[in-house]
Amino acid sequence: MLIGVIADDFTGASDIASALASGVEGKGGLSTVQFLGIPDGVAPTGIDAGVVSLKSRSIAAREAVRQSVAAADWLIKAGVEQIIFKYCSTFDSTPQGNIGPVAEALADRLGASKVIFCPSFPANGRTVYQGNLFVHDVPLAESGMAHHPLTPMRDSDIRRVLQSQAARRVGHLPYQVVQGGAQSIKKALAQMEAPFVVVDAISDCNLVQLAESQASAPLVTGGSAIAAGLAENFIRRGHARSGQFHGETIDGPEIVIAGSCSGATLGQIEYHRASHPEMAIDVDAVMSGEVDADTYLPFLLENAGNAPLLHSSAPQNVLERIQKHYGSSKVAARLDRLFGDIAAKAVAHGVRRVVVAGGETSGAVANALGFSSLRVGKQIDPGVPVLISTTEKPVALALKSGNFGAPDFFEKALNTMVTS
């Protein structure tokens, strides 16, 4: 393997796997496999990039560090030349969060004296300017992420957020330098004393130039969008050939599960329910133990062929009531367990295509299904590829971050699985 990725959640892992496989401008990147958790044994042969999916974004920092360093150790044994620490393009974290501690531990493990931080993902409206993160044209702290149930982002200045978590000093590389190109970036970074550097980027071109400047860096951190340029570095040097995504097609019964309450997912639910069967989970009944996976499984199986949608998403006022009454972490844990059970039972009953909306929900489903690795296929929407299990009877998955995807994402994902 040439590139190894440590991703702090499952949808983020799929996101960056897609970028590595698609390459710059979708022209083709690296042969990529996504691993669900830290793999056992030796790495498979014949792949250029391996993405280790952790579920470490919202856990205690010490445990996140332990898991991330263990993932790095496995990737180093696999022979990778560069490691990417991938976090969300909205820098999901808190003052007690994991991005700083994990980055410091990985820098120590890899001997990285200068590490960049760039969550920018222009295709999905995430950009960094003057050290501040924007969601489309709205500062992060004024976007819907300010109300995230687990990692509310109430400061748009990524420098301050990162510095609150890290012992190392945090610097800033402004857009005026970035637009000068790879050599300008490289020179400026070499002259900076701060070991951690938040980098401005407002376009894919900026990210390609930034990636070129990091061709020899042992550790890079950021969102998924920089990965295409990092893959191109190896292709340019002749270490890999482009066009390596897996094009396997999967047909058969399908289900759609949504556990996200983001604006994008709520819009996708409204779009899908207009022409497909839909059922909302009764969260109060779930919390009281009145319902379980067997309560909802018949709806999905009976409507196979019509892209049935099961969701727990709710408007902000309903969400706030539920979280206040039961506690947000307890609600999230109970729903994650329920969705995982439902998905596992559905696949056991012959379901072959599974679409999941929401980072935590995707992680729960992936864990419950028990797949050890997934081949990365065609991109559905920016940041979301088709993933195909390496099992004897393959299952196709789409694991979507809550904020990603077009309004018709659910149906598009199911169709792409059949036509990859």
Side-chain angles (χ1 to χ4, degrees), residues 105-336:
L106 293 176
D108 288 341
R109 178 67 180 83
L110 297 167
S113 58
K114 189 69 58 74
V115 181
I116 66 162
F117 292 75
C118 190
S120 180
F121 192 162
N124 277 334
R126 280 76 166 139
T127 55
V128 181
Y129 183 69
Q130 299 290 9
N132 285 261
L133 182 55
F134 291 81
V135 178
H136 297 289
D137 59 347
V138 178
L140 178 65
E142 299 174 26
S143 73
M145 288 305 301
H147 307 291
H148 192 284
L150 298 177
T151 53
M153 299 305 297
R154 298 188 176 120
D155 190 348
S156 305
D157 193 319
I158 300 306
R159 296 165 296 185
R160 283 198 298 260
V161 177
L162 179 59
Q163 191 66 82
S164 71
Q165 304 173 3
R168 285 171 169 82
R169 189 150 59 90
V170 177
H172 172 232
L173 194 67
Y175 177 70
Q176 290 80 358
V177 175
V178 174
Q179 67 179 343
Q183 292 307 311
S184 172
I185 296 168
K186 197 170 183 178
K187 181 179 178 180
L189 286 171
Q191 294 173 345
M192 295 182 68
E193 294 182 1
F196 282 1
V197 183
V198 173
V199 182
D200 287 354
I202 64 174
S203 69
D204 287 332
C205 180
N206 294 155
L207 291 171
V208 170
Q209 293 296 316
L210 179 58
E212 185 177 341
S213 79
Q214 297 296 295
S216 60
L219 175 65
V220 176
T221 88
S224 64
I226 195 173
L230 294 172
E232 182 65 22
N233 290 338
F234 289 96
I235 295 169
R236 189 185 303 113
R237 296 201 298 265
H239 294 181
R241 63 185 182 87
S242 63
Q244 299 296 298
F245 75 83
H246 301 276
E248 185 175 351
T249 62
I250 302 292
D251 202 351
E254 76 296 333
I255 62 172
V256 181
I257 294 172
S260 169
C261 293
S262 72
T265 297
L266 291 175
Q268 289 155 356
I269 290 169
E270 287 302 313
Y271 185 97
H272 195 78
R273 73 198 303 180
S275 54
H276 299 281
E278 167 262 343
M279 177 179 284
I281 284 177
D282 185 337
V283 179
D284 289 303
V286 171
M287 297 306 294
S288 67
E290 297 173 38
V291 299
D292 59 16
D294 292 330
T295 307
Y296 297 104
L297 186 62
F299 161 75
L300 295 173
L301 299 179
E302 289 166 6
N303 286 285
N306 294 310
L309 165 64
L310 180 68
H311 67 90
S312 64
S313 304
Q316 187 62 38
N317 62 325
V318 176
L319 177 64
E320 289 176 354
R321 177 192 66 78
I322 291 171
Q323 290 175 338
K324 183 177 181 180
H325 184 69
Y326 299 106
S328 58
S329 60
K330 290 182 179 180
V331 172
R334 189 71 68 86
L335 288 175
D336 283 351

Side-chain angles (χ1 to χ4, degrees), residues 329-403:
S329 60
K330 290 182 179 180
V331 172
R334 189 71 68 86
L335 288 175
D336 283 351
R337 189 160 58 249
L338 175 67
F339 280 127
D341 289 345
I342 290 169
K345 290 187 175 186
V347 168
H349 279 80
V351 166
R352 301 282 312 283
R353 292 178 291 154
V354 181
V355 178
V356 187
E360 297 297 321
T361 308
S362 291
V365 167
N367 278 328
L369 291 175
F371 300 143
S372 60
S373 60
L374 301 165
R375 295 187 294 273
V376 180
K378 188 176 180 181
Q379 181 172 268
I380 302 163
D381 271 336
V384 195
V386 173
L387 299 169
I388 303 162
S389 70
T390 55
T391 50
E392 183 178 350
K393 189 173 183 181
V395 174
L397 302 173
L399 307 177
K400 183 192 83 74
S401 175
N403 286 304

